[in-house]
């Protein structure tokens, strides 16, 4: 009898879910990949996916209707370079490494969850975490979201960052030991790089993150190629922190999927990236955030040197036509601002570099989805795609700052916020 009741409940639940169609009336729907806009659309959402989208759809009986006829809909936003669990101490003389010593992985995981929830509410429906995740803590943040315990964006993870000896820590006294291995794997030969890639994949990562040039020594072409070969054979992409110079030559020649930062890339290097279809995730930090970060323990040049270089490199990359995905790298906290607010502050840099709004939106949606290998499921609004969408009162293709006024967010068909 108990089993019959259980079966009946199961059948009724399945039927209820199948019947819960949502019909969204949208004033305008933007298609960032095509750069086009369609007016007065109806979008039918079923089981977390877009079932139909057209101007003349009949709304099925019993469908839940959401009226966004005064709004502009867009695919959900993506950020290809986040560090969900990490907050860097700003001001004073706290070393870059202080978060290793003062914060447990559990605390870091909770911060990651808080940031993930803030990002989703702000309209970021997919993010790519590129390491510094407290010994794989982001894998657990993702697991809790996937298990339905919390709402959150789709998260791709990188686990531990693979780097030449020392990770991104410089001048740590030998008696302190290699404590950076909490977040980094030291890998100093092609074989060690292969082993590190395998370790990360074993622990569940989607993307392999290397730091190529944070030290006076940097990765060789052979080491980059080992990472790419090992990762690509396992269906993973490779993202590499590199600023420029010979290390960037090796990274580009080695055939990685994306260069992160690339602040000092030359036109020749950008042209080669374009030819090879390598993405630039420029993490184009606004001056105000550079000032707060300082030189990040020697990782960054001084803000007055770096800020103009970032704008110039972004302008050149756009002019040359390198594929770009939006990525921010925000790791600071500012009173009365969420991490999403700080990420949207990067838009000012893109505007200053002269990038048109439709192109910026493309870098934040379809381009990022392509880099993240999720474009078959996310990044555009079409039948069969996940119902990840946002809405706002003005057209983001005309003014990208409209993204600051997002008032509707749907994630996998679930309404996260609405006007
Ligand atoms: Zn970063």
């Amino acid at each position: 009898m108990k089993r019959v009741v259980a079966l009946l409940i199961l059948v009724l639940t399945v039927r209820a879910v199948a019947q819960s169609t949502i019909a969204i009336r949208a004033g305008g729907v933007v298609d960032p990949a095509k750069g086009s806009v369609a007016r007065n659309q109806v979008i039918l959402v079923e089981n977390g996916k877009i079932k139909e989208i057209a101007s003349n759809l009949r709304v099925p009986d019993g469908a839940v209707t959401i009226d966004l006829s005064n709004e502009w809909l867009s695919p959900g936003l993506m950020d290809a370079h986040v560090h969900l669990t990490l907050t860097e101490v700003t001001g004073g003389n706290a070393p870059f490494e202080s978060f290793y010593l003062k914060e447990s992985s559990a605390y870091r995981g909770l911060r990651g969850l808080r940031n993930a929830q803030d990002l989703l509410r702000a309209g970021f429906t997919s993010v790519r975490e590129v390491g510094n995740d407290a010994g794989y803590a982001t894998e657990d943040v993702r697991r809790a979201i996937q298990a339905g315990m919390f709402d959150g964006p789709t998260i791709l993870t990188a686990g531990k960052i693979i780097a030449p000896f020392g990770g991104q820590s410089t001048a740590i006294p030998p008696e302190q030991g290699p404590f950076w291995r909490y977040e980094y794997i030291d890998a100093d030969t092609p074989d060690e790089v292969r082993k590190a890639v395998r370790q990360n994949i074993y622990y569940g990562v989607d993307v392999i993150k290397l730091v190529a040039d944070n030290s006076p020594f940097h990765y060789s072409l052979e080491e980059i190629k080992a990472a790419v070969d090992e990762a690509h054979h396992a269906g993973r992409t490779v993202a590499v922190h590199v600023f420029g110079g010979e290390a960037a030559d090796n990274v580009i020649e080695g055939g990685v999927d994306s260069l992160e930062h690339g602040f000092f890339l030359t036109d020749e290097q950008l042209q080669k990236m374009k030819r090879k279809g390598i993405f630039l995730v420029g993490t184009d930090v606004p001056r105000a955030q550079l000032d707060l970060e300082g030189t990040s323990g020697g990782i960054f040049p001084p803000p007055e040197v770096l800020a103009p270089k970032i704008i110039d490199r972004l302008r050149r990359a756009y002019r040359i036509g390198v594929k770009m995905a939006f990525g921010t790298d925000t790791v600071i906290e500012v009173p009365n601002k969420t991490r999403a607010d700080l990420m949207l502050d990067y838009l000012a840099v893109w505007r200053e570099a002269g990038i048109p709004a439709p192109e910026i939106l493309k870098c934040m949606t379809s381009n990022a989805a392509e880099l993240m290998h999720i474009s078959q499921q996310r990044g555009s609004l079409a039948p069969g795609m996940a119902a990840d969408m946002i809405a706002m009162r003005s057209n983001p293709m005309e003014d990208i700052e409209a993204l600051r006024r997002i008032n509707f967010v749907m994630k996998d068909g679930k309404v996260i916020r609405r006007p």
Side-chain angles (χ1 to χ4, degrees):
M1 182 61 191
K2 255 187 186 166
R3 284 173 70 177
V4 173
V5 172
L7 194 66
L8 193 65
I9 290 170
L10 183 70
V11 168
L12 288 174
T13 314
V14 170
R15 277 184 60 106
V17 171
Q19 284 174 352
S20 61
T21 300
I22 300 173
I24 301 171
R25 292 184 188 283
V29 176
V30 302
D31 184 338
K34 294 196 185 107
S36 62
V37 170
R39 300 304 305 262
N40 300 318
Q41 300 286 295
V42 176
I43 303 173
L44 297 184
V45 175
E46 254 181 40
N47 299 322
K49 291 188 172 159
I50 296 170
K51 192 180 177 215
E52 283 182 276
I53 174 165
S55 59
N56 52 359
L57 282 182
R58 196 187 70 81
V59 174
D61 296 334
V64 175
T65 306
I66 298 176
D67 181 18
L68 299 174
S69 51
N70 291 318
E71 304 256 334
W72 296 83
L73 251 75
S74 160
L77 304 179
M78 301 187 183
D79 188 314
H81 191 116
V82 300
H83 301 282
L84 293 174
T85 70
L86 174 62
T87 289
E88 199 178 307
V89 179
T90 53
N93 294 313
F96 173 71
E97 290 80 8
S98 55
F99 49 85
Y100 297 130
L101 307 175
K102 297 284 190 182
E103 296 179 344
S104 66
S105 59
Y107 184 75
R108 295 276 301 277
L110 289 167
R111 175 189 289 125
L113 179 61
R114 191 275 316 266
N115 284 335
Q117 291 174 326
D118 282 348
L119 293 192
L120 181 60
R121 273 190 63 76
F124 287 91
T125 52
S126 297
V127 296
R128 190 178 68 150
E129 155 87 38
V130 283
N132 293 119
D133 81 345
Y136 301 105
T138 309
E139 276 68 22
D140 286 331
V141 172
R142 171 172 64 185
R143 187 177 174 186
I145 290 169
Q146 283 180 342
M149 295 182 199
F150 305 97
D151 293 324
T154 296
I155 301 173
L156 273 68
T157 67
K160 292 197 182 191
I161 295 171
I162 300 168
F165 187 84
Q168 285 179 279
S169 286
T170 48
I172 301 297
E175 58 266 39
Q176 297 301 330
F179 64 78
W180 56 82
R181 290 181 188 165
Y182 178 48
E183 295 201 333
Y184 296 83
I185 303 175
D186 292 329
D188 291 277
T189 64
D191 284 350
E192 285 184 7
V193 168
R194 283 184 189 276
K195 186 175 183 183
V197 169
R198 289 178 184 182
Q199 175 182 322
N200 268 339
I201 295 172
Y202 178 87
Y203 290 118
V205 310
D206 308 285
V207 53
I208 297 301
K209 167 80 178 295
L210 306 182
V211 165
D213 67 346
N214 194 75
S215 307
F217 40 85
H218 56 249
Y219 269 144
S220 66
L221 177 58
E222 288 65 36
E223 286 160 332
I224 299 292
K225 279 184 168 171
V228 170
D229 183 62
E230 201 64 41
H232 284 182
H233 274 98
R236 267 61 172 188
T237 54
V238 178
V240 186
H241 162 119
V242 68
F243 281 179
E246 185 185 285
D249 284 339
N250 293 344
V251 170
I252 297 165
E253 178 60 26
V256 306
D257 298 277
S258 65
L259 267 68
E260 314 292 306
H261 317 303
F263 297 138
F264 307 135
L265 290 172
T266 63
D267 284 0
E268 291 69 31
Q269 288 172 324
L270 290 165
Q271 278 152 1
K272 189 166 178 185
M273 286 172 67
K274 183 188 177 186
R275 283 199 303 277
K276 294 183 72 123
I278 297 174
F279 274 87
L280 174 66
V281 180
T283 67
D284 310 278
V285 193
R287 173 68 195 261
Q289 291 188 34
L290 287 176
D291 286 340
L292 285 167
E293 286 179 25
T295 56
S296 261
I299 288 174
F300 282 171
E304 64 275 15
V305 174
L306 190 52
K309 284 193 184 301
I310 288 177
I311 295 168
D312 173 63
R313 195 274 284 107
L314 182 53
R315 187 180 287 128
R316 288 186 293 116
Y318 172 65
R319 202 184 59 222
I320 287 168
V322 179
K323 278 201 283 193
M324 294 195 284
F326 185 75
T328 52
D329 207 21
T330 297
V331 291
I332 55 170
E333 302 221 334
V334 173
N336 304 317
K337 283 196 168 195
T338 67
R339 183 154 293 197
D341 295 332
L342 293 165
M343 284 156 57
L344 292 171
D345 286 346
Y346 281 58
L347 295 175
V349 180
W350 286 67
R351 286 191 289 115
E352 196 167 344
I355 322 278
E359 187 64 28
I360 302 175
L361 194 61
K362 193 173 154 187
C363 293
M364 299 177 88
T365 54
S366 53
N367 271 19
E370 184 189 340
L371 170 61
M372 289 154 78
H373 287 194
I374 56 172
S375 55
Q376 299 301 309
Q377 300 88 39
R378 305 174 197 280
S380 60
L381 302 180
M385 301 293 283
D388 285 4
M389 51 188 124
I390 56 174
M392 62 224 92
R393 275 296 166 94
S394 52
N395 184 353
M397 302 277 252
E398 284 167 7
D399 174 14
I400 198 67
E401 297 291 342
L403 299 180
R404 289 183 181 278
R405 297 179 293 276
I406 289 166
N407 57 13
F408 172 86
V409 177
M410 174 176 274
K411 175 63 187 160
D412 286 322
K414 182 178 178 184
V415 176
I416 303 298
R417 68 186 295 182
R418 57 187 296 179

